[in-house]
Amino acid sequence: MTASPDLRTPQLGSPDLLRSVFRRHAAGVAVITAGGEQGPVGFTATSLTSVSAEPPMLSFGVGTGASSWPVLSEADHVGVHILGEHQQELAATFARSGADRFGAPTVWREGPEGVPVLDDVLAWLVCRVVARVPACDHRIVLAEVVLGDPAGPGRPLLYHQGRFGGLRD
């Protein structure tokens, strides 16, 4: 094994190190939604992960300080929406604190199990929440897929280096 001529000194684990490394990790962009007594809630997530095929299950992380958390902490079902590269503004709206996420120009409808379903997305799922696992100031939500639609047209929206963008050919 030969040493690289560009050796760098590793950094100790820290929030800044984690953020710096994950800025270099391109991630797909999703919006998670849930219905609540005071109206729908939702947020932009890049932590969406497939967990298992049998049963069909996924996970996502949500901060316990997020405005959506009180509703998500009690929701039986959630909506998971895969955004297309044409939906940068929608992603930004659902990521912005204090934004009217479900007001115009957001187009949505009440879907199965009372879950808000966003229009014009690449794909969406309605999922039954099966667990909320504590993870420091977040919860990892495990949810089983109940139904959905994978057939929206377009290419996926990505998040990389703090910006939304699309795939390059």
Side-chain angles (χ1 to χ4, degrees):
M1 187 161 124
T2 60
S4 167
D6 189 31
L7 269 181
R8 298 177 189 186
T9 304
Q11 299 175 27
L12 291 175
S14 70
D16 287 340
L17 174 61
L18 183 68
R19 282 191 284 273
S20 293
V21 168
F22 273 87
R23 278 188 200 105
R24 301 191 65 122
H25 174 69
V29 181
V31 168
I32 308 299
T33 61
E37 289 181 18
Q38 306 299 321
V41 300
F43 69 98
T44 300
T46 56
S47 62
L48 183 65
T49 304
S50 171
V51 173
S52 73
E54 189 60 43
M57 192 170 294
L58 57 81
S59 71
F60 60 87
V62 58
T64 56
S67 61
S68 299
W69 174 244
V71 171
L72 287 166
S73 72
E74 297 183 0
D76 292 329
H77 291 82
V78 294
V80 176
H81 307 82
I82 307 301
L83 300 190
E85 61 187 1
H86 64 286
Q87 295 178 302
Q88 291 184 26
E89 281 304 311
L90 183 66
T93 297
F94 276 83
R96 194 170 24 255
S97 181
D100 181 5
R101 297 172 178 160
F102 290 90
T106 302
V107 181
W108 64 282
R109 66 190 180 284
E110 185 173 315
E113 304 295 341
V115 170
V117 175
L118 303 175
D119 283 358
D120 198 30
V121 295
L122 294 188
W124 61 267
L125 299 167
V126 171
C127 302
R128 182 180 60 82
V129 175
V130 296
R132 295 171 185 87
V133 181
C136 302
D137 63 347
H138 279 64
R139 295 296 180 269
I140 306 302
V141 177
L142 295 168
E144 185 175 1
V145 175
V146 175
L147 60 96
D149 180 358
R155 295 165 52 113
L157 180 62
L158 299 178
Y159 187 72
H160 180 251
Q161 294 287 10
R163 295 189 318 258
F164 296 113
L167 293 172
R168 291 188 213 154
D169 290 329

